[in-house]
């Protein structure tokens, strides 16, 4: 296994987030590979770690001053053994090939866990939507799609949003696709509710995370989220809907953040404050500091890049829901959380905990740790339900979609527990999710021959 990991790293120099995720996944699936000589004979690990296809393209667009700007565009078509490539588009200045390869690798297993017919992919650009006008964002999205449109399709590759790509961006991207192809298909998910989108898709990732946390607590401890104090990071789509569902379930949410800083609201974020946060982030596209200007009970702390930890994770709480970005909880943060009595860590962002932090959580029997590929699967599950509705050319009610998502999350939770138990790691959701997702994908690859 170590030799294989070394070879993969040598072939992909500089892709550190990809190396991180490959190392962690491979470490946990070792017993499965040892049990299955067919996997070794078919070099399944090397094949899994190499994307089917990587598209890299130039995106030139004109800013409001009439100056031409150029960004990188990417789409990684990782694995389609289970269905069309499926996964997000991220627009953020930090986007590199290594980040997108980590995302598409994770996405492949996450999508497998949903049980829906979805392959894995991901893409995006180093374009930064922050501070851009709507017209600049539209021109960028249109230029991005003038290349991407030839590679995607409702049965080929179906993108969705991720960091920096929300309803506005999906609208501009879909509009350009429709014009270029002269067809209206379910080529993207996360579409507007009035033009092919699914009810509940905006809420799905955040709600799904909270459903997963509630399922873990009920199943393992016979407890609920009612009355629990929760730390949430981020203030984007996933964070806001995580907060919404936590409030709905009777929990108290003490924090929210963006890249500039975080707020600690000792009175808890209530529905009125959440509505303000939503307007702040989606209509005014403002900063989280404004929350503390409006609500004096909240304390704002700006981000200090010189610190070796993030102070948001130093507050006493029962549950933590990291909803911002990768590696936002490091080893020191993990220690701070554990020392302050944390009992549940539910990953809503992709890979928000460093490997050292994960080890610290999974080593402790009194902590429930839910890895992103299980806990954040509600979003892509409802994307799969959006594709199903588009194919049937009809729309399900909000209640119907919510019900189906809950069934998927409940099954997924049990699948993780069963796989962990089978491989002698009872209660370890990370091991269970990696093994169950991996087995489903590689068995399909083996059934389908060497292609
Ligand atoms: P949004 O763009 O809506 O929100 C992202 C939030 O995270 C913002 O508050 C942003 O702050 C903050 N953030 C982003 N990058 C950084 C950074 N480098 N440091 C600190 N804060 C940062 O994205 P989403 O809510 O959609 O996505 C959040 C996470 O959830 C990501 O990891 C994504 O991959 C994952 N995810 C998303 C799904 C979806 O359906 N959208 C599904 C499953 C997982 P700022 O505005 O200052 O940049
Ligand atoms: O990380 C993720 O699961 C997403 N960004 C959503 C992917 C999707 O296709 O719904």
């Amino acid at each position: 296994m170590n030799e294989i990991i070394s070879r993969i790293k040598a072939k992909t120099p500089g892709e550190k987030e990809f190396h991180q995720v490959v190392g962690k996944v491979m470490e946990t699936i070792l017993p499965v590979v040892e049990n299955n000589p067919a996997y070794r004979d078919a070099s399944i690990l090397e094949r899994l770690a190499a994307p089917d296809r990587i598209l890299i393209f130039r995106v030139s667009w004109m800013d409001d001053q009439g100056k031409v700007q150029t960004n990188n565009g990417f789409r990684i078509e990782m694995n389609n053994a289970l269905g069309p490539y499926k996964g997000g588009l991220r627009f953020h200045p930090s986007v590199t090939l290594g980040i997108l390869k980590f995302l598409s690798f994770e996405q492949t297993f996450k999508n497998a866990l949903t049980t829906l017919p979805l392959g894995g992919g991901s893409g995006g650009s180093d374009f930064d939507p922050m501070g851009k006008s709507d017209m600049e964002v539209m021109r960028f999205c249109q230029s991005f799609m003038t290349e991407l449109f030839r590679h995607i399709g409702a049965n080929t590759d179906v993108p969705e949003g991720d960091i920096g790509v929300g309803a506005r961006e999906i609208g501009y991207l879909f509009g350009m696709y429709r014009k270029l192809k002269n067809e209206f298909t379910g080529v993207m998910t996360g579409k507007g509710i009035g033009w092919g989108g699914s009810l509940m898709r905006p809420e799905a990732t955040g709600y799904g995370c909270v459903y997963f946390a509630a399922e873990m607590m009920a199943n393992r401890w016979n407890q609920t989220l009612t009355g629990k104090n929760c730390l949430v990071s981020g203030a984007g789509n996933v964070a806001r809907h995580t907060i919404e569902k936590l409030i709905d379930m009777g929990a108290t949410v003490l924090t929210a953040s963006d890249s500039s800083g975080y707020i600690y609201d000792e009175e808890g974020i209530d529905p009125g404050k959440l509505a303000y946060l939503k307007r702040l982030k989606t209509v005014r596209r403002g900063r989280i500091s404004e929350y503390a200007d409006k609500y004096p009970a909240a304390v704002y702390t700006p981000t200090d890049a010189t610190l070796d930890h993030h102070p948001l994770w130093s507050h006493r709480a029962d549950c933590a829901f990291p909803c911002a970005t990768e590696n936002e909880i490091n080893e020191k943060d993990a220690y701070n959380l554990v020392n302050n009595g944390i009992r549940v860590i539910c990953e809503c962002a992709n890979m928000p905990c460093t490997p050292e932090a994960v080890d610290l959580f999974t080593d402790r029997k009194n902590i429930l740790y839910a890895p992103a590929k299980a806990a954040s699967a509600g979003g892509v599950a409802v994307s799969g339900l959006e594709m199903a509705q588009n194919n049937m050319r009809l729309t399900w009610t909000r209640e119907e979609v919510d019900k189906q998502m809950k069934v998927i999350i409940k099954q997924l939770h049990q699948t993780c527990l069963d796989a962990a138990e089978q491989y002698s790691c009872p209660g370890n959701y990370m091991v269970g999710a990696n093994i169950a997702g991996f087995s489903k994908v590689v068995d399909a690859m083996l059934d389908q021959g060497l292609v």
Side-chain angles (χ1 to χ4, degrees):
M1 184 65 87
N2 284 339
E3 261 172 48
I4 293 173
I5 295 176
S6 298
R7 268 206 302 280
I8 293 171
K9 286 185 179 172
K11 278 191 184 173
T12 54
E15 298 177 2
K16 64 178 175 14
E17 294 82 6
F18 180 57
H19 299 167
Q20 180 180 333
V21 77
V22 166
K24 203 71 199 159
V25 171
M26 301 262 174
E27 172 189 310
T28 51
I29 54 159
L30 182 62
V32 189
V33 179
E34 279 174 345
N35 266 352
N36 288 282
Y39 292 171
R40 285 202 304 277
D41 297 346
S43 293
I44 212 75
L45 298 178
E46 288 93 331
R47 283 162 62 193
L48 254 188
D52 289 353
R53 204 168 293 105
I54 299 181
L55 308 158
I56 305 184
F57 50 95
R58 174 178 53 77
V59 187
S60 292
W61 55 281
M62 194 172 282
D63 69 18
D64 287 346
Q65 283 68 49
K67 191 167 178 310
V68 175
Q69 303 281 351
T70 296
N71 290 96
N72 298 324
F74 303 91
R75 186 73 185 165
I76 301 188
E77 297 183 334
M78 193 71 186
N79 189 301
N80 65 351
L82 296 178
Y85 304 107
K86 181 83 196 87
L89 291 174
R90 177 177 292 192
F91 292 170
H92 193 270
S94 64
V95 163
T96 58
L97 194 54
I99 297 244
L100 296 179
K101 278 181 69 178
F102 121 64
L103 285 171
S104 53
F105 190 73
E106 279 285 278
Q107 195 81 52
T108 301
F109 304 119
K110 185 194 297 193
N111 294 1
L113 288 170
T114 65
T115 68
L116 299 174
L118 303 170
S122 120
S125 172
D126 58 356
F127 172 76
D128 185 1
M130 203 189 294
K132 303 288 190 302
S133 70
D134 284 352
M135 286 304 99
E136 288 177 320
V137 170
M138 183 175 82
R139 287 193 292 272
F140 174 81
C141 289
Q142 292 181 335
S143 179
F144 186 87
M145 189 50 87
T146 57
E147 177 58 40
L148 188 68
F149 86 100
R150 27 180 144 258
H151 309 290
I152 60 176
N155 294 315
T156 310
D157 183 354
V158 184
E160 152 77 47
D162 190 81
I163 291 177
V165 178
R168 173 182 63 170
E169 290 76 15
I170 295 285
Y172 294 148
L173 289 162
F174 182 81
M176 195 55 165
Y177 180 89
R178 177 172 58 76
K179 181 173 175 73
L180 290 168
K181 296 284 275 199
N182 190 25
E183 64 179 34
F184 193 113
T185 60
V187 65
M188 301 192 76
T189 58
K191 298 184 291 298
I193 303 302
W195 42 274
S198 175
L199 287 162
M200 285 293 288
R201 178 60 188 92
E203 296 89 340
T205 310
Y207 280 21
C209 272
V210 179
Y211 293 156
F212 195 92
E215 187 65 26
M216 284 196 303
M217 292 168 74
N219 184 291
R220 304 284 301 289
W221 293 341
N222 201 18
Q223 281 189 16
T224 69
L225 280 158
T226 308
K228 299 288 184 294
N229 284 326
C230 301
L231 305 175
V232 171
S233 63
N237 171 278
V238 176
R240 291 194 309 273
H241 292 107
T242 298
I243 297 172
E244 186 166 84
K245 188 46 79 179
L246 284 170
I247 297 173
D248 190 35
M249 290 202 171
T252 301
V253 180
L254 300 167
T255 59
S257 69
D258 59 23
S259 55
S260 310
Y262 81 99
I263 56 103
Y264 180 86
D265 186 340
E266 63 175 6
E267 292 175 353
I269 302 175
D270 63 24
K273 293 172 178 176
L274 184 60
Y276 169 80
L277 189 60
K278 181 174 182 197
R279 267 197 317 280
L280 174 68
K281 285 294 176 185
T282 56
V283 181
R284 292 176 32 222
R285 296 186 189 271
R287 307 308 293 159
I288 195 88
S289 55
E290 294 173 51
Y291 179 104
D293 299 337
K294 176 137 176 96
Y295 300 108
V299 176
Y300 173 69
T301 307
T303 303
D304 179 353
T306 63
L307 292 179
D308 62 356
H309 66 286
H310 195 304
L312 187 155
W313 307 118
S314 303
H315 294 282
R316 175 160 283 277
D318 305 299
C319 312
F321 291 83
C323 298
T325 193
E326 56 274 2
N327 292 328
E328 55 172 315
I329 296 184
N330 65 20
E331 192 175 12
K332 183 92 189 280
D333 297 316
Y335 269 114
N336 290 338
L337 284 165
V338 169
N339 290 338
N340 278 314
I342 208 78
R343 301 295 311 280
V344 176
I345 291 106
C346 188
E347 292 189 339
C348 315
N350 282 299
M351 200 171 73
C353 300
T354 62
E356 299 76 23
V358 173
D359 288 344
L360 214 132
F361 297 139
T362 50
D363 281 350
R364 283 171 172 70
K365 295 283 169 264
N366 63 342
I367 286 184
L368 294 176
Y369 162 74
K373 64 173 71 62
S376 78
V380 74
V382 174
S383 289
L385 300 179
E386 180 170 329
M387 289 162 72
Q389 293 168 80
N390 290 167
N391 285 342
M392 293 188 294
R393 299 195 188 284
L394 49 79
T395 315
W396 291 328
T397 61
R398 194 179 156 80
E399 290 71 27
E400 175 64 24
V401 179
D402 195 35
K403 190 174 88 191
Q404 291 204 36
M405 173 172 47
K406 278 183 176 148
V407 170
I408 291 171
I409 299 280
K410 206 175 166 63
Q411 278 173 355
L412 195 163
H413 171 269
Q414 193 57 46
T415 301
C416 294
L417 281 185
D418 292 347
E421 179 88 34
Q422 191 190 342
Y423 283 88
S424 311
C425 293
N428 188 323
Y429 288 91
M430 179 189 59
V431 168
N434 284 346
I435 289 178
F438 170 81
S439 305
K440 176 139 197 219
V441 176
V442 300
D443 288 345
M445 287 168 73
L446 288 185
D447 287 349
Q448 295 171 28
L450 183 55
V451 290

